[in-house]
Amino acid sequence: MDNVKQLLAVRRDKLQKIRDLGINPYPNHTKRSHTIKELKDNQEQFVADSQQVTIAGRLVAMRRQGKIGFGNVKDESGRIQIFVRKDTTGEENYELFKLFDLGDFVQISGICFVTRTGEYSVKANEVTILSKGLRPIPTVKEKVVDGQTRRFDEFADVELRYRKRYLDLLLNPQIKRTFEIRARIMREIRTFLDGRGYLEVDTPTLQPLYGGANARPFVTHHNTLDMPLYLRIATELYLKRLIVGGFEKVYEIGKNFRNEGMDKTHNPEFTAIELYEAFSDLDGMMEITEAMISTVAQQVLGTTELQFQGQAINLQRPWRRDTMLNLIQEHAGFDASSFDRDAIAAFCGEHNIEVDENAGPGKLITELFDTFVEPHLIQPTFVIDYPKEVSPLAKSKPGNPKLVERFELFIGGNEYGNAFTELNDPLDQRERLTAQSRLREMGDVEANVVDEDFLEALEYGMPPTGGLGIGLDRLIMLFTNNTTIKEVILFPTLKHE
RNA sequence: GGUCCAGUAACUCAGUCGGUAGAGUAUCUGCCUUUUAAGCAGAGAGUCGACGGUUCAAGUCCGUCCUGGAUCACCA
């Protein structure tokens, strides 16, 4: 018999022994009177009064010695020591206590007191099993040395942590903070936008056509309708339809799905917010981006100055704004404003930047930007004036037909958001999407597809509109000082074991 | 996808020059009525990621593959 089977068999055996005592190892009801935090908050009084309490939680440590035993019970609010004596619980109940294993959910009734060594504890007069565990839980021990908690045999295997996130949360409770911050960020974004009169909406995740970004989709099939459906890569085109329909301020927070590679900043499904505001524009989107992110930081973290990977980042408004071409000039010493493809391609070649033969000058300019500029944009920076060639949904910049009114937001060398003055000229939009479909024919699998229904909606008239998208997982990474997107997603996508 | 690193007991990790697989924790047995990384004595527990090769002999050397991490490329 191998070790795991042996360990499982021991637990099964104890389970049967509990049943043999006439005790249900999975009772329906709990009689908790206090959370552990409530015990701690009232320590002085509860000890003075020998307060009778009933706590419930997971048994996370056990130190048995003959006819007594110490253990530690943990609920979501905290962790406390229990003290069990045979002559206090009685013979029969002590038999049950001896069948407890680490990881079991237990209920302890007893009085609050302080042990000889000064530890606040519950002295049990009755122990109850709430849920018997059948698998051994990895044991992480802690010792406090000079106020610092040292941990032993930490549950640290990154792969195991992601695959068995429940164990990660249980054994590495500090991980929970990331997801608490995540939830608060979401709530504060909603509070902020609701306060500005925005309406939260839901648009389809399953779409007959996909659009709104450059990406390959996941494809699925609807059996009854016998048609292909795509998991959305963005919410953009549906939200704009709502602007056509007369809503003036809408936003959606939800999952997007992109069928492409994974790395530290890309998970196949990720959470984004998109918002659209009629009668606004790129300047309006910069204002709302600054206001929203700095407000959320203040609400969630209590400050707009944060530390990210050893760098101090200041989210205090206003944020820097500069054009892509200026920034390339500054960091690469190259003037690309001519949009002369040959000259730009030659410069790329000199700096070992791969040049796709189908790439136009605009595409090459963004590659120069990515290489020379992006890593240096540590403090929040709005990069404006993007090449039209790479921005099929953004409105042209007056006075320069090669550029559009678009920004991307960079913080700490990473991209966080993308916004345009939205293109509302239906004929121009049709030309742009048609140009994208030509790129598709030349092999660009991520080029946009022509969405006739969307174009028809624009033909009914869409007001001048500002639109913004922000990758929320990355924002959460920034706020929690994580460099890996998997750390901020509870169940990140992994390959099969 | 390229390169580099890692995968050994349930957990955390050693394993030298190729020579019968190791420790701590956890588990089991015994002792122990104020311990706290409890302690003492003993025991069980492994397809050394998978497959193939070299060799008298492979955890160790070689090849292929799987999984994860780092990095580069691609990608927002």
Side-chain angles (χ1 to χ4, degrees):
Chain A
M1 185 155 59
D2 67 41
N3 194 25
V4 176
K5 281 183 184 157
Q6 197 176 77
L7 292 169
L8 295 181
V10 166
R11 299 278 179 130
R12 295 287 182 125
D13 190 47
K14 289 183 181 174
L15 180 73
Q16 188 55 49
K17 283 179 175 156
I18 291 170
R19 290 209 155 104
D20 291 344
L21 289 172
I23 294 166
N24 178 3
Y26 302 100
N28 292 43
H29 304 292
T30 306
K31 295 196 174 106
R32 174 157 81 171
S33 68
H34 297 80
T35 64
I36 289 167
K37 182 169 186 299
E38 286 167 344
L39 258 58
K40 300 220 159 154
D41 289 346
N42 296 291
Q43 174 171 350
E44 209 169 305
Q45 190 195 334
F46 281 11
V47 170
D49 298 350
S50 291
Q51 174 76 37
Q52 175 76 32
V53 296
T54 299
I55 58 170
R58 202 186 278 271
L59 188 63
V60 293
M62 178 79 111
R63 298 173 294 281
R64 282 201 43 228
Q65 48 181 109
K67 298 180 183 65
I68 66 165
F70 292 89
N72 293 85
V73 171
K74 185 173 116 173
D75 68 14
E76 194 181 14
S77 75
R79 175 184 160 129
I80 196 164
Q81 178 166 274
I82 60 166
F83 175 47
V84 184
R85 293 171 61 133
K86 193 172 186 174
D87 57 10
T88 307
T89 61
E91 188 106 9
E92 216 169 293
N93 197 223
Y94 199 78
E95 284 306 305
L96 174 63
F97 175 63
K98 287 202 285 189
L99 293 169
F100 282 2
D101 282 306
L102 291 182
D104 291 351
F105 279 94
V106 299
Q107 175 175 290
I108 309 295
S109 296
I111 58 165
C112 297
F113 81 117
V114 174
T115 64
R116 210 173 275 175
T117 52
E119 181 155 351
Y120 183 38
S121 308
V122 175
K123 186 186 292 181
N125 38 49
E126 185 182 13
V127 303
T128 310
I129 184 82
L130 294 179
S131 179
K132 183 71 190 158
L134 295 181
R135 284 179 182 274
I137 287 192
T139 318
V140 178
K141 297 202 171 186
E142 292 182 351
K143 184 182 188 177
V144 179
V145 180
D146 302 330
Q148 296 278 316
T149 303
R150 285 183 60 199
R151 311 187 84 215
F152 301 84
D153 296 344
E154 204 154 2
F155 184 75
D157 184 286
V158 175
E159 185 177 356
L160 268 183
R161 285 186 44 234
Y162 297 152
R163 289 195 192 279
K164 310 243 177 260
R165 183 69 96 178
Y166 46 91
L167 291 179
D168 188 29
L169 294 166
L170 187 62
L171 299 169
N172 300 314
Q174 73 282 5
I175 299 291
K176 291 163 80 179
R177 187 181 130 80
T178 298
F179 296 98
E180 287 159 4
I181 290 178
R182 183 178 175 114
R184 291 174 61 197
I185 289 170
M186 298 293 189
R187 189 172 67 225
E188 293 301 334
I189 287 174
R190 288 188 163 99
T191 300
F192 176 88
L193 291 173
D194 294 350
R196 286 202 176 201
Y198 272 77
L199 181 74
E200 182 172 11
V201 298
D202 287 292
T203 65
T205 304
L206 291 173
Q207 303 181 345
L209 272 183
Y210 59 94
N214 296 327
R216 299 173 73 174
F218 288 93
V219 190
T220 186
H221 180 261
H222 190 289
N223 289 339
T224 307
L225 298 177
D226 190 23
M227 64 185 279
L229 285 171
Y230 301 94
L231 275 68
R232 70 182 176 200
I233 59 172
T235 46
E236 173 145 358
L237 302 185
Y238 280 94
L239 293 175
K240 284 183 185 170
R241 284 171 170 94
L242 297 179
I243 298 293
V244 170
F247 286 120
E248 293 189 359
K249 297 178 180 179
V250 295
Y251 72 96
E252 178 163 7
I253 293 176
K255 288 277 182 73
N256 292 331
F257 305 86
R258 297 187 184 174
N259 203 341
E260 55 198 26
M262 298 147 60
D263 61 26
K264 288 170 78 164
T265 55
H266 296 81
N267 195 64
E269 58 177 298
F270 63 98
T271 303
I273 180 170
E274 288 190 37
L275 63 86
Y276 293 83
E277 180 167 338
F279 313 116
S280 185
D281 52 26
L282 195 72
D283 286 331
M285 292 301 104
M286 282 191 263
E287 190 279 327
I288 200 169
T289 302
E290 285 178 342
M292 182 165 69
I293 292 180
S294 57
T295 299
V296 170
Q298 189 65 48
Q299 294 297 321
V300 174
L301 303 175
T303 177
T304 52
E305 290 174 22
L306 39 100
Q307 284 291 320
F308 185 72
Q309 302 305 307
Q311 293 165 322
I313 290 173
N314 188 351
L315 299 177
Q316 195 70 45
R317 304 163 69 182
W319 296 348
R320 183 184 179 191
R321 303 174 185 197
D322 210 339
T323 69
M324 178 173 275
L325 291 173
N326 279 348
L327 287 163
I328 290 171
Q329 176 74 59
E330 178 184 329
H331 290 277
F334 180 74
D335 180 0
S337 60
S338 66
F339 276 73
D340 178 335
R341 189 189 182 281
D342 291 342
I344 298 168
F347 187 80
C348 285
E350 286 166 28
H351 294 87
N352 298 318
I353 297 171
E354 207 173 310
V355 177
D356 184 331
E357 57 181 281
N358 291 324
K363 174 79 174 159
L364 298 181
I365 286 170
T366 61
E367 293 194 3
L368 287 180
F369 176 82
D370 290 348
T371 302
F372 287 100
V373 184
E374 186 171 326
H376 300 292
L377 300 180
I378 304 305
Q379 298 307 319
T381 305
F382 291 114
V383 177
I384 60 173
D385 290 2
Y386 272 66
K388 182 188 287 187
E389 181 192 326
V390 297
S391 312
L393 301 165
K395 205 166 193 172
S396 298
K397 186 179 171 69
N400 190 337
K402 292 185 168 64
L403 300 177
V404 292
E405 287 197 359
R406 172 181 181 185
F407 77 70
E408 288 193 341
L409 168 64
F410 292 85
I411 306 173
N414 290 309
E415 185 219 327
Y416 287 84
N418 185 17
F420 326 131
T421 299
E422 300 295 339
L423 179 53
N424 65 342
D425 175 340
L427 300 180
D428 189 357
Q429 183 67 84
R430 177 175 293 279
E431 281 176 28
R432 305 267 204 105
L433 288 180
T434 304
Q436 285 283 311
S437 72
R438 281 197 293 274
L439 288 176
R440 271 188 98 70
E441 285 161 17
M442 289 192 296
D444 182 349
V445 292
E446 296 190 339
N448 286 246
V449 296
V450 179
D451 184 336
E452 285 294 342
D453 183 75
F454 170 66
L455 289 171
E456 184 179 328
L458 287 191
E459 287 171 8
Y460 284 102
M462 185 174 91
T465 297
L468 166 69
I470 296 175
L472 293 181
D473 304 291
R474 291 184 187 175
L475 193 67
I476 293 156
M477 288 164 65
L478 179 70
F479 278 37
T480 58
N481 196 14
N482 274 302
T483 53
T484 304
I485 199 168
K486 287 185 168 80
E487 290 289 351
V488 304
I489 294 174
L490 279 168
F491 300 99
T493 305
L494 297 170
K495 288 192 194 175
H496 260 299
E497 280 182 272

